[in-house]
Coordinates of all heavy atoms in Angstrom, one line a residue:
M1 N -36.1 50.3 27.9 CA -36.3 49.4 26.8 C -35.1 49.4 25.9 O -34.6 48.4 25.4 CB -37.6 49.7 26.1 CG -37.8 48.7 25.0 SD -39.4 48.0 25.4 CE -39.7 47.1 24.0
P2 N -34.7 50.6 25.4 CA -33.5 50.7 24.5 C -32.3 50.0 25.2 O -31.5 49.4 24.5 CB -33.3 52.2 24.3 CG -34.5 52.9 24.8 CD -35.2 52.0 25.7
S3 N -32.2 50.1 26.5 CA -31.1 49.5 27.1 C -31.2 48.0 27.0 O -30.2 47.3 26.8 CB -31.0 50.0 28.6 OG -30.7 49.0 29.4
D4 N -32.4 47.4 27.2 CA -32.6 46.0 27.0 C -32.3 45.5 25.6 O -31.6 44.5 25.4 CB -34.0 45.6 27.4 CG -34.3 45.7 28.9 OD1 -33.3 45.7 29.7 OD2 -35.5 45.8 29.2
L5 N -32.7 46.3 24.7 CA -32.4 45.9 23.3 C -30.9 46.0 23.0 O -30.3 45.1 22.3 CB -33.1 46.9 22.3 CG -33.0 46.6 20.8 CD1 -33.5 45.3 20.5 CD2 -33.7 47.7 20.1
Q6 N -30.2 47.0 23.6 CA -28.8 47.1 23.4 C -28.1 45.9 24.0 O -27.1 45.4 23.5 CB -28.3 48.5 24.0 CG -26.9 48.9 23.7 CD -26.8 49.2 22.2 OE1 -27.8 49.4 21.5 NE2 -25.6 49.3 21.7
Q7 N -28.5 45.5 25.2 CA -27.9 44.4 25.9 C -28.1 43.1 25.1 O -27.2 42.3 25.0 CB -28.5 44.3 27.3 CG -28.0 45.3 28.3 CD -28.7 45.2 29.6 OE1 -29.7 44.4 29.7 NE2 -28.2 45.8 30.6
Q8 N -29.3 43.0 24.6 CA -29.6 41.8 23.7 C -28.7 41.7 22.5 O -28.2 40.7 22.1 CB -31.1 41.7 23.3 CG -32.0 41.4 24.5 CD -33.5 41.4 24.0 OE1 -33.8 41.9 23.0 NE2 -34.4 40.9 24.9
L9 N -28.5 42.9 21.9 CA -27.7 43.0 20.7 C -26.2 42.6 21.1 O -25.5 41.9 20.3 CB -27.7 44.4 20.1 CG -28.9 44.7 19.2 CD1 -28.9 46.2 18.8 CD2 -28.9 43.8 18.0
E10 N -25.8 43.1 22.2 CA -24.4 42.8 22.6 C -24.3 41.3 22.9 O -23.3 40.7 22.6 CB -24.0 43.7 23.8 CG -23.7 45.1 23.5 CD -22.6 45.3 22.5 OE1 -21.6 44.5 22.6 OE2 -22.7 46.1 21.6
S11 N -25.3 40.8 23.6 CA -25.3 39.4 23.9 C -25.3 38.5 22.6 O -24.5 37.5 22.5 CB -26.5 39.0 24.7 OG -26.6 37.6 24.9
V12 N -26.1 38.9 21.6 CA -26.1 38.2 20.3 C -24.7 38.3 19.6 O -24.2 37.4 19.1 CB -27.2 38.7 19.4 CG1 -27.1 38.2 18.0 CG2 -28.6 38.3 20.0
R13 N -24.1 39.5 19.7 CA -22.8 39.7 19.1 C -21.7 38.9 19.7 O -20.9 38.3 19.1 CB -22.4 41.2 19.2 CG -23.1 42.1 18.2 CD -22.5 43.5 18.2 NE -23.3 44.4 17.4 CZ -23.7 45.6 17.7 NH1 -23.5 46.1 18.9 NH2 -24.5 46.3 16.9
A14 N -21.8 38.8 21.0 CA -20.8 38.0 21.8 C -21.0 36.5 21.4 O -20.0 35.8 21.2 CB -20.9 38.2 23.3
K15 N -22.2 36.1 21.4 CA -22.5 34.7 21.0 C -22.0 34.4 19.6 O -21.5 33.3 19.3 CB -23.9 34.3 21.2 CG -24.3 34.3 22.7 CD -25.8 34.0 22.8 CE -26.2 34.0 24.3 NZ -27.7 33.7 24.5
T16 N -22.3 35.4 18.7 CA -21.9 35.2 17.3 C -20.4 35.1 17.2 O -19.8 34.3 16.4 CB -22.4 36.4 16.5 OG1 -23.8 36.5 16.6 CG2 -22.0 36.2 15.0
R17 N -19.6 36.0 17.9 CA -18.2 35.9 17.9 C -17.7 34.5 18.4 O -16.8 34.0 17.8 CB -17.6 37.0 18.8 CG -17.3 38.3 18.0 CD -16.5 39.3 18.9 NE -17.4 40.4 19.1 CZ -17.9 40.8 20.2 NH1 -17.6 40.3 21.3 NH2 -18.8 41.9 20.2
V18 N -18.3 34.0 19.5 CA -17.9 32.7 20.0 C -18.2 31.6 18.9 O -17.3 30.8 18.7 CB -18.6 32.4 21.3 CG1 -18.4 31.0 21.7 CG2 -18.2 33.4 22.4
M19 N -19.3 31.7 18.3 CA -19.6 30.7 17.3 C -18.7 30.8 16.1 O -18.2 29.8 15.6 CB -21.1 31.0 16.8 CG -22.2 30.7 17.8 SD -22.3 28.9 18.1 CE -23.0 28.4 16.6
V20 N -18.3 32.0 15.7 CA -17.4 32.2 14.6 C -16.0 31.6 15.0 O -15.3 31.0 14.2 CB -17.3 33.7 14.1 CG1 -16.1 33.9 13.2 CG2 -18.6 34.1 13.5
E21 N -15.6 31.9 16.2 CA -14.3 31.4 16.6 C -14.3 29.8 16.6 O -13.3 29.2 16.2 CB -13.9 31.9 18.0 CG -13.5 33.4 18.0 CD -13.4 33.9 19.4 OE1 -13.5 33.2 20.4 OE2 -13.1 35.2 19.5
K22 N -15.4 29.3 17.2 CA -15.5 27.8 17.2 C -15.5 27.3 15.8 O -14.9 26.2 15.5 CB -16.7 27.4 18.0 CG -16.6 27.6 19.5 CD -17.8 27.1 20.2 CE -17.7 27.3 21.7 NZ -18.8 26.8 22.4
Y23 N -16.2 28.0 14.9 CA -16.3 27.5 13.5 C -14.9 27.5 12.9 O -14.5 26.5 12.2 CB -17.2 28.4 12.7 CG -17.2 28.2 11.2 CD1 -17.8 27.1 10.6 CD2 -16.4 29.0 10.4 CE1 -17.7 26.9 9.2 CE2 -16.3 28.8 9.0 CZ -16.9 27.7 8.5 OH -16.8 27.5 7.1
H24 N -14.1 28.5 13.1 CA -12.8 28.6 12.5 C -11.9 27.5 13.1 O -11.1 26.9 12.4 CB -12.2 30.0 12.7 CG -12.7 31.0 11.8 ND1 -12.7 31.0 10.5 CD2 -13.4 32.2 12.1 CE1 -13.3 32.0 9.9 NE2 -13.8 32.8 10.9
Y25 N -12.0 27.3 14.4 CA -11.3 26.2 15.0 C -11.6 24.8 14.4 O -10.7 24.1 14.1 CB -11.5 26.2 16.5 CG -10.9 25.1 17.3 CD1 -9.5 25.1 17.6 CD2 -11.6 23.9 17.6 CE1 -8.9 24.0 18.2 CE2 -11.0 22.9 18.3 CZ -9.6 22.9 18.5 OH -9.1 21.9 19.2
V26 N -12.9 24.6 14.3 CA -13.3 23.3 13.8 C -12.9 23.2 12.3 O -12.4 22.1 11.8 CB -14.8 23.1 13.9 CG1 -15.4 21.9 13.1 CG2 -15.2 23.0 15.4
K27 N -13.0 24.3 11.5 CA -12.6 24.2 10.1 C -11.1 24.0 10.0 O -10.7 23.2 9.2 CB -13.0 25.6 9.5 CG -12.6 25.6 8.0 CD -13.0 27.0 7.4 CE -12.5 27.0 6.0 NZ -12.6 28.4 5.4
D28 N -10.3 24.6 10.8 CA -8.9 24.4 10.8 C -8.5 22.9 11.2 O -7.7 22.3 10.6 CB -8.1 25.3 11.7 CG -8.2 26.8 11.2 OD1 -8.5 27.0 10.0 OD2 -7.9 27.7 12.0
A29 N -9.2 22.4 12.2 CA -9.0 21.0 12.6 C -9.4 20.1 11.5 O -8.7 19.1 11.2 CB -9.8 20.7 13.9
Y30 N -10.5 20.4 10.8 CA -10.9 19.6 9.7 C -9.9 19.5 8.6 O -9.6 18.5 8.0 CB -12.3 20.1 9.2 CG -12.8 19.4 7.9 CD1 -13.3 18.1 7.9 CD2 -12.7 20.1 6.7 CE1 -13.7 17.5 6.8 CE2 -13.2 19.5 5.5 CZ -13.7 18.2 5.6 OH -14.1 17.6 4.4
E31 N -9.4 20.7 8.2 CA -8.4 20.8 7.1 C -7.1 20.0 7.5 O -6.5 19.3 6.7 CB -8.0 22.2 6.8 CG -9.2 23.0 6.2 CD -9.6 22.5 4.9 OE1 -8.8 22.0 4.1 OE2 -10.8 22.5 4.6
A32 N -6.7 20.2 8.8 CA -5.5 19.4 9.3 C -5.8 17.9 9.2 O -4.9 17.1 8.8 CB -5.2 19.9 10.7
A33 N -7.0 17.5 9.6 CA -7.3 16.1 9.5 C -7.3 15.6 8.1 O -6.9 14.4 7.8 CB -8.7 15.8 10.2
K34 N -7.8 16.4 7.2 CA -7.8 16.0 5.8 C -6.3 15.8 5.3 O -6.0 14.8 4.6 CB -8.5 17.0 4.9 CG -10.0 16.9 4.9 CD -10.7 17.9 4.1 CE -10.1 18.4 2.8 NZ -10.9 19.4 2.1
V35 N -5.5 16.6 5.6 CA -4.0 16.5 5.3 C -3.4 15.3 5.9 O -2.7 14.5 5.2 CB -3.3 17.8 5.6 CG1 -1.8 17.6 5.5 CG2 -3.7 19.0 4.8
E36 N -3.7 15.0 7.1 CA -3.2 13.9 7.8 C -3.7 12.6 7.2 O -3.0 11.6 7.0 CB -3.6 13.9 9.3 CG -2.9 12.8 10.1 CD -3.3 12.8 11.6 OE1 -4.0 13.7 12.0 OE2 -2.8 12.0 12.3
I37 N -5.0 12.6 6.8 CA -5.6 11.4 6.2 C -4.9 11.1 4.9 O -4.6 10.0 4.5 CB -7.1 11.6 6.0 CG1 -7.8 11.5 7.4 CG2 -7.7 10.6 5.0 CD1 -9.3 11.9 7.4
S38 N -4.7 12.2 4.1 CA -4.0 12.0 2.8 C -2.6 11.5 3.0 O -2.2 10.6 2.3 CB -3.9 13.4 2.1 OG -3.2 13.3 1.0
D39 N -1.9 12.0 4.0 CA -0.5 11.5 4.3 C -0.6 10.0 4.7 O 0.3 9.2 4.3 CB 0.2 12.3 5.4 CG 0.5 13.7 4.9 OD1 0.5 13.9 3.7 OD2 0.8 14.5 5.8
L40 N -1.5 9.6 5.6 CA -1.6 8.3 6.0 C -2.0 7.3 4.9 O -1.5 6.2 4.8 CB -2.7 8.2 7.2 CG -2.2 8.8 8.5 CD1 -3.4 8.8 9.5 CD2 -1.0 8.2 9.1
K41 N -2.9 7.8 4.0 CA -3.2 6.9 2.8 C -2.0 6.7 2.0 O -1.8 5.6 1.5 CB -4.3 7.6 2.0 CG -5.7 7.4 2.6 CD -6.8 8.1 1.7 CE -8.1 7.9 2.4 NZ -9.2 8.5 1.5
A42 N -1.2 7.7 1.8 CA 0.1 7.6 1.0 C 1.0 6.6 1.7 O 1.6 5.7 1.1 CB 0.8 8.9 0.8
Q43 N 1.1 6.6 3.0 CA 1.9 5.7 3.8 C 1.4 4.3 3.7 O 2.2 3.3 3.5 CB 2.0 6.1 5.3 CG 2.8 7.3 5.6 CD 2.8 7.7 7.0 OE1 2.3 7.0 7.9 NE2 3.4 8.8 7.4
I44 N 0.1 4.1 3.7 CA -0.5 2.8 3.6 C -0.2 2.2 2.2 O 0.2 1.1 2.1 CB -2.0 2.9 3.8 CG1 -2.3 3.1 5.3 CG2 -2.7 1.6 3.3 CD1 -3.8 3.4 5.6
L45 N -0.3 3.0 1.1 CA 0.0 2.6 -0.2 C 1.5 2.2 -0.3 O 1.8 1.1 -0.9 CB -0.3 3.6 -1.2 CG -1.8 3.9 -1.5 CD1 -2.0 5.1 -2.5 CD2 -2.4 2.6 -2.1
A46 N 2.4 3.0 0.3 CA 3.8 2.6 0.2 C 4.1 1.3 1.0 O 4.8 0.5 0.5 CB 4.6 3.8 0.8
R47 N 3.4 1.2 2.1 CA 3.7 -0.1 2.9 C 3.1 -1.3 2.2 O 3.6 -2.4 2.2 CB 3.1 0.1 4.3 CG 3.8 1.1 5.1 CD 4.1 0.7 6.5 NE 5.0 1.6 7.1 CZ 4.7 2.3 8.2 NH1 3.5 2.2 8.7 NH2 5.6 3.2 8.7
D48 N 1.9 -1.1 1.5 CA 1.3 -2.2 0.7 C 2.3 -2.6 -0.4 O 2.4 -3.8 -0.6 CB 0.0 -1.8 0.2 CG -1.1 -1.8 1.2 OD1 -0.9 -2.3 2.3 OD2 -2.2 -1.2 0.9
E49 N 2.9 -1.6 -1.1 CA 3.8 -2.0 -2.1 C 5.0 -2.7 -1.6 O 5.5 -3.7 -2.2 CB 4.2 -0.7 -2.9 CG 3.2 -0.1 -3.7 CD 3.6 1.2 -4.3 OE1 4.7 1.7 -4.2 OE2 2.7 1.9 -5.0
E50 N 5.5 -2.2 -0.5 CA 6.7 -2.8 0.2 C 6.3 -4.3 0.6 O 7.1 -5.2 0.4 CB 7.1 -2.0 1.4 CG 8.3 -2.6 2.1 CD 8.7 -1.8 3.3 OE1 8.0 -0.9 3.7 OE2 9.8 -2.1 3.9
L51 N 5.1 -4.4 1.1 CA 4.7 -5.8 1.6 C 4.6 -6.7 0.4 O 5.0 -7.9 0.5 CB 3.3 -5.7 2.2 CG 2.7 -7.0 2.7 CD1 3.5 -7.6 3.8 CD2 1.3 -6.7 3.3
E52 N 4.1 -6.3 -0.7 CA 4.0 -7.1 -1.9 C 5.4 -7.5 -2.4 O 5.7 -8.6 -2.8 CB 3.2 -6.4 -3.1 CG 1.8 -6.3 -2.8 CD 1.1 -7.7 -2.6 OE1 1.4 -8.6 -3.4 OE2 0.3 -7.8 -1.7
Q53 N 6.3 -6.5 -2.4 CA 7.7 -6.8 -2.8 C 8.3 -7.9 -1.8 O 9.0 -8.8 -2.3 CB 8.5 -5.6 -2.8 CG 8.2 -4.6 -4.0 CD 8.9 -3.3 -3.9 OE1 9.7 -3.1 -2.9 NE2 8.8 -2.5 -4.9
L54 N 8.1 -7.7 -0.6 CA 8.7 -8.6 0.4 C 8.1 -10.0 0.3 O 8.8 -11.0 0.4 CB 8.5 -8.1 1.8 CG 9.3 -6.9 2.2 CD1 8.9 -6.4 3.6 CD2 10.8 -7.2 2.1
K55 N 6.8 -10.1 0.0 CA 6.1 -11.4 -0.3 C 6.7 -12.1 -1.5 O 7.0 -13.3 -1.5 CB 4.6 -11.2 -0.5 CG 3.8 -11.0 0.8 CD 2.4 -10.9 0.5 CE 1.5 -10.6 1.7 NZ 0.1 -10.5 1.4
L56 N 7.0 -11.3 -2.5 CA 7.6 -11.8 -3.7 C 9.0 -12.3 -3.4 O 9.4 -13.4 -3.9 CB 7.6 -10.7 -4.8 CG 8.0 -11.2 -6.2 CD1 7.0 -12.2 -6.7 CD2 8.0 -10.0 -7.1
K57 N 9.8 -11.6 -2.6 CA 11.1 -12.0 -2.3 C 11.1 -13.3 -1.4 O 11.9 -14.2 -1.7 CB 11.8 -10.9 -1.5 CG 12.3 -9.8 -2.3 CD 13.1 -8.8 -1.5 CE 13.6 -7.6 -2.3 NZ 14.3 -6.6 -1.5
V58 N 10.1 -13.4 -0.5 CA 10.0 -14.6 0.3 C 9.6 -15.8 -0.6 O 10.2 -16.9 -0.5 CB 8.9 -14.4 1.4 CG1 8.5 -15.8 2.0 CG2 9.3 -13.5 2.4
E59 N 8.8 -15.6 -1.6 CA 8.4 -16.7 -2.5 C 9.6 -17.1 -3.3 O 9.9 -18.3 -3.5 CB 7.3 -16.2 -3.5 CG 6.8 -17.3 -4.4 CD 5.7 -16.8 -5.3 OE1 5.1 -15.8 -5.0 OE2 5.4 -17.5 -6.2
Y60 N 10.4 -16.1 -3.8 CA 11.6 -16.4 -4.6 C 12.6 -17.2 -3.7 O 13.3 -18.1 -4.1 CB 12.3 -15.2 -5.1 CG 11.5 -14.5 -6.3 CD1 11.7 -13.2 -6.6 CD2 10.6 -15.2 -7.0 CE1 11.1 -12.6 -7.6 CE2 9.9 -14.6 -8.1 CZ 10.1 -13.3 -8.4 OH 9.5 -12.7 -9.4
L61 N 12.8 -16.7 -2.5 CA 13.7 -17.4 -1.6 C 13.3 -18.8 -1.2 O 14.1 -19.7 -1.1 CB 13.9 -16.6 -0.3 CG 14.7 -15.3 -0.4 CD1 14.7 -14.5 0.8 CD2 16.2 -15.6 -0.8
S62 N 12.0 -19.0 -1.1 CA 11.5 -20.4 -0.7 C 11.7 -21.3 -1.9 O 12.1 -22.4 -1.8 CB 10.1 -20.4 -0.3 OG 9.2 -20.0 -1.3
I63 N 11.5 -20.7 -3.1 CA 11.7 -21.5 -4.4 C 13.2 -21.8 -4.5 O 13.6 -23.0 -4.8 CB 11.2 -20.8 -5.6 CG1 9.7 -20.8 -5.6 CG2 11.7 -21.5 -6.9 CD1 9.0 -19.9 -6.6
A64 N 14.0 -20.8 -4.3 CA 15.5 -21.0 -4.4 C 16.0 -22.0 -3.4 O 16.9 -22.8 -3.7 CB 16.2 -19.7 -4.2
S65 N 15.5 -22.0 -2.2 CA 16.0 -23.0 -1.2 C 15.5 -24.4 -1.5 O 16.3 -25.3 -1.2 CB 15.5 -22.6 0.2 OG 14.1 -22.7 0.3
T66 N 14.4 -24.5 -2.2 CA 13.9 -25.9 -2.5 C 14.6 -26.4 -3.8 O 14.8 -27.6 -4.0 CB 12.4 -26.0 -2.7 OG1 12.0 -25.0 -3.7 CG2 11.7 -25.7 -1.4
V67 N 15.1 -25.5 -4.6 CA 15.8 -25.8 -5.8 C 17.3 -25.9 -5.7 O 18.0 -26.4 -6.6 CB 15.4 -24.8 -7.0 CG1 16.2 -25.1 -8.2 CG2 13.9 -24.8 -7.2
R68 N 17.8 -25.6 -4.5 CA 19.2 -25.6 -4.2 C 19.8 -27.0 -4.6 O 19.3 -28.0 -4.2 CB 19.5 -25.3 -2.8 CG 21.0 -25.2 -2.5 CD 21.2 -24.9 -1.0 NE 20.5 -23.7 -0.7 CZ 20.2 -23.3 0.5 NH1 20.6 -24.0 1.6 NH2 19.6 -22.2 0.8
I69 N 20.8 -27.0 -5.4 CA 21.4 -28.2 -5.9 C 22.6 -28.6 -5.2 O 23.5 -27.8 -5.0 CB 21.7 -28.0 -7.4 CG1 20.4 -27.8 -8.2 CG2 22.4 -29.3 -8.0 CD1 20.5 -27.5 -9.7
T70 N 22.7 -29.8 -4.8 CA 23.9 -30.4 -4.2 C 24.7 -31.1 -5.3 O 24.2 -31.2 -6.4 CB 23.6 -31.3 -3.0 OG1 22.9 -32.4 -3.6 CG2 22.8 -30.6 -2.0
G71 N 25.9 -31.6 -5.0 CA 26.7 -32.3 -5.9 C 26.0 -33.5 -6.6 O 26.1 -33.7 -7.8
D72 N 25.3 -34.3 -5.7 CA 24.6 -35.5 -6.2 C 23.5 -35.1 -7.1 O 23.2 -35.7 -8.1 CB 24.1 -36.3 -5.1 CG 25.3 -36.9 -4.3 OD1 26.3 -37.1 -4.8 OD2 25.0 -37.2 -3.1
D73 N 22.7 -34.0 -6.7 CA 21.6 -33.5 -7.5 C 22.1 -33.0 -8.8 O 21.4 -33.2 -9.8 CB 20.9 -32.4 -6.7 CG 20.2 -32.9 -5.5 OD1 19.9 -34.1 -5.4 OD2 19.9 -32.1 -4.6
L74 N 23.2 -32.4 -8.9 CA 23.7 -31.9 -10.1 C 24.1 -33.0 -11.1 O 23.7 -32.9 -12.3 CB 25.0 -31.0 -9.8 CG 25.6 -30.3 -11.0 CD1 24.6 -29.3 -11.7 CD2 26.9 -29.6 -10.6
A75 N 24.7 -34.0 -10.6 CA 25.0 -35.2 -11.5 C 23.8 -35.8 -12.0 O 23.6 -36.1 -13.2 CB 25.9 -36.2 -10.8
S76 N 22.8 -36.0 -11.1 CA 21.5 -36.7 -11.6 C 20.8 -35.8 -12.5 O 20.1 -36.3 -13.5 CB 20.7 -37.1 -10.4 OG 20.2 -36.0 -9.7
T77 N 20.8 -34.5 -12.3 CA 20.1 -33.6 -13.2 C 20.8 -33.5 -14.6 O 20.1 -33.6 -15.6 CB 20.1 -32.1 -12.6 OG1 19.5 -32.2 -11.3 CG2 19.4 -31.2 -13.5
R78 N 22.1 -33.6 -14.6 CA 22.8 -33.6 -15.9 C 22.5 -34.9 -16.7 O 22.3 -34.9 -17.9 CB 24.3 -33.5 -15.7 CG 24.7 -32.1 -15.4 CD 26.2 -32.0 -15.2 NE 26.6 -30.6 -15.0 CZ 27.7 -30.2 -14.5 NH1 28.7 -31.1 -14.2 NH2 28.0 -29.0 -14.2
A79 N 22.4 -36.0 -15.9 CA 22.1 -37.3 -16.6 C 20.7 -37.3 -17.1 O 20.4 -37.7 -18.2 CB 22.3 -38.4 -15.6
M80 N 19.8 -36.7 -16.3 CA 18.4 -36.6 -16.8 C 18.3 -35.7 -18.0 O 17.6 -36.1 -19.0 CB 17.5 -36.0 -15.7 CG 16.0 -36.0 -16.0 SD 14.9 -35.5 -14.7 CE 15.5 -33.8 -14.5
V81 N 18.9 -34.6 -18.0 CA 18.9 -33.7 -19.2 C 19.5 -34.4 -20.4 O 19.0 -34.3 -21.5 CB 19.6 -32.4 -18.9 CG1 19.8 -31.5 -20.1 CG2 18.8 -31.6 -17.9
A82 N 20.6 -35.1 -20.2 CA 21.2 -35.8 -21.3 C 20.3 -36.9 -21.9 O 20.2 -37.1 -23.1 CB 22.5 -36.5 -20.8
D83 N 19.6 -37.6 -21.0 CA 18.6 -38.6 -21.5 C 17.5 -37.9 -22.3 O 17.0 -38.4 -23.3 CB 18.0 -39.3 -20.3 CG 19.0 -40.3 -19.6 OD1 20.0 -40.7 -20.3 OD2 18.7 -40.7 -18.4
L84 N 17.0 -36.8 -21.8 CA 16.0 -36.0 -22.5 C 16.4 -35.6 -23.9 O 15.7 -35.7 -24.8 CB 15.5 -34.8 -21.7 CG 14.7 -35.2 -20.4 CD1 14.4 -33.9 -19.6 CD2 13.4 -35.9 -20.8
V85 N 17.7 -35.1 -23.9 CA 18.2 -34.7 -25.2 C 18.3 -35.9 -26.2 O 18.0 -35.8 -27.4 CB 19.6 -34.0 -25.0 CG1 20.3 -33.8 -26.4 CG2 19.4 -32.7 -24.3
R86 N 18.8 -37.0 -25.7 CA 18.8 -38.2 -26.5 C 17.4 -38.6 -27.0 O 17.2 -39.0 -28.2 CB 19.5 -39.4 -25.8 CG 21.0 -39.3 -25.8 CD 21.7 -40.6 -25.3 NE 21.4 -40.8 -23.8 CZ 22.2 -40.3 -22.9 NH1 23.2 -39.5 -23.1 NH2 21.9 -40.6 -21.6
E87 N 16.5 -38.5 -26.1 CA 15.1 -38.9 -26.5 C 14.6 -37.9 -27.6 O 13.9 -38.3 -28.5 CB 14.2 -38.8 -25.2 CG 12.8 -39.1 -25.4 CD 12.6 -40.6 -25.6 OE1 13.4 -41.4 -25.1 OE2 11.6 -41.0 -26.2
I88 N 14.9 -36.6 -27.4 CA 14.5 -35.6 -28.4 C 15.1 -35.9 -29.8 O 14.5 -35.9 -30.8 CB 14.8 -34.2 -27.9 CG1 13.8 -33.8 -26.8 CG2 14.6 -33.2 -29.1 CD1 14.2 -32.6 -26.1
D89 N 16.4 -36.3 -29.7 CA 17.1 -36.6 -31.0 C 16.5 -37.8 -31.6 O 16.3 -37.9 -32.9 CB 18.6 -36.9 -30.7 CG 19.4 -35.6 -30.4 OD1 18.9 -34.5 -30.7 OD2 20.5 -35.7 -29.8
R90 N 16.1 -38.8 -30.8 CA 15.4 -40.0 -31.4 C 14.1 -39.6 -32.1 O 13.8 -40.1 -33.1 CB 15.2 -41.1 -30.3 CG 16.4 -42.0 -30.1 CD 16.1 -43.1 -29.2 NE 17.0 -42.9 -28.0 CZ 16.6 -43.0 -26.8 NH1 15.4 -43.2 -26.4 NH2 17.5 -42.8 -25.8
C91 N 13.4 -38.8 -31.4 CA 12.1 -38.3 -31.9 C 12.3 -37.6 -33.2 O 11.5 -37.8 -34.2 CB 11.3 -37.5 -30.9 SG 10.7 -38.4 -29.5
L92 N 13.3 -36.7 -33.3 CA 13.5 -35.9 -34.5 C 13.9 -36.9 -35.6 O 13.5 -36.7 -36.8 CB 14.6 -34.9 -34.2 CG 14.2 -33.7 -33.4 CD1 15.4 -32.8 -33.1 CD2 13.1 -32.9 -34.0
A93 N 14.8 -37.9 -35.3 CA 15.2 -38.9 -36.3 C 14.0 -39.6 -36.8 O 13.9 -39.9 -38.0 CB 16.2 -39.8 -35.7
D94 N 13.1 -40.0 -35.9 CA 11.8 -40.7 -36.4 C 11.0 -39.8 -37.2 O 10.4 -40.3 -38.2 CB 11.0 -41.2 -35.1 CG 11.7 -42.4 -34.4 OD1 12.6 -43.0 -35.0 OD2 11.3 -42.6 -33.2
L95 N 10.9 -38.6 -36.9 CA 10.1 -37.7 -37.7 C 10.7 -37.5 -39.1 O 10.0 -37.3 -40.1 CB 10.0 -36.3 -37.0 CG 9.1 -36.3 -35.8 CD1 9.1 -34.9 -35.1 CD2 7.6 -36.6 -36.2
K96 N 12.0 -37.5 -39.3 CA 12.6 -37.3 -40.5 C 12.4 -38.5 -41.5 O 12.4 -38.4 -42.7 CB 14.1 -37.1 -40.4 CG 14.4 -35.7 -39.8 CD 15.9 -35.5 -39.7 CE 16.2 -34.1 -39.1 NZ 17.6 -33.8 -38.9
E97 N 12.3 -39.7 -40.9 CA 12.1 -40.9 -41.7 C 10.8 -41.0 -42.3 O 9.9 -40.7 -42.5 CB 12.3 -42.2 -40.8 CG 13.8 -42.3 -40.3 CD 13.9 -43.5 -39.4 OE1 13.0 -44.2 -39.1 OE2 15.1 -43.7 -39.0

């Protein structure tokens, strides 16, 4: 009987050692996964910021390409601005009277 008890104790010890080893392995894997998740979240944030900046640049470029002025557009724009300035001057003169 003492031999059976001794064998059972050894069996329990061996199983406990295996369980402890598995626990440490899983714990280490968990810690590594947490670090990797943290790194990936930082990468996602950086890419989101880069994406927002690129979207803003695309918007600016599309506006700039639609606002691009040719020689004819420049002359008509200057004429329109001159007309608006004359109109403002007339309004100011009317207000002074």
Side-chain angles (χ1 to χ4, degrees):
M1 182 124 171
S3 143
D4 289 338
L5 183 59
Q6 193 68 14
Q7 286 176 347
Q8 288 178 348
L9 281 174
E10 286 302 318
S11 174
V12 169
R13 281 187 189 134
K15 289 178 183 178
T16 303
R17 266 188 247 114
V18 170
M19 291 291 288
V20 168
E21 288 173 4
K22 287 183 180 181
Y23 169 78
H24 287 297
Y25 174 77
V26 170
K27 183 180 174 191
D28 292 342
Y30 173 74
E31 293 298 325
K34 279 178 36 178
V35 169
E36 184 178 3
I37 287 170
S38 176
D39 291 343
L40 291 173
K41 283 182 179 180
Q43 287 178 7
I44 288 171
L45 287 175
R47 293 226 172 115
D48 285 346
E49 290 174 6
E50 182 182 7
L51 179 63
E52 288 301 317
Q53 290 175 354
L54 291 173
K55 282 181 180 179
L56 192 60
K57 284 182 180 179
V58 165
E59 184 177 344
Y60 289 160
L61 288 172
S62 67
I63 290 171
S65 67
T66 58
V67 176
R68 185 178 304 161
I69 297 176
T70 63
D72 295 335
D73 292 337
L74 184 60
S76 65
T77 303
R78 284 183 180 162
M80 184 176 63
V81 169
D83 289 340
L84 290 173
V85 169
R86 280 191 291 278
E87 182 75 26
I88 291 170
D89 286 341
R90 274 188 244 133
C91 291
L92 288 174
D94 288 345
L95 288 174
K96 287 182 183 178
E97 293 177 0

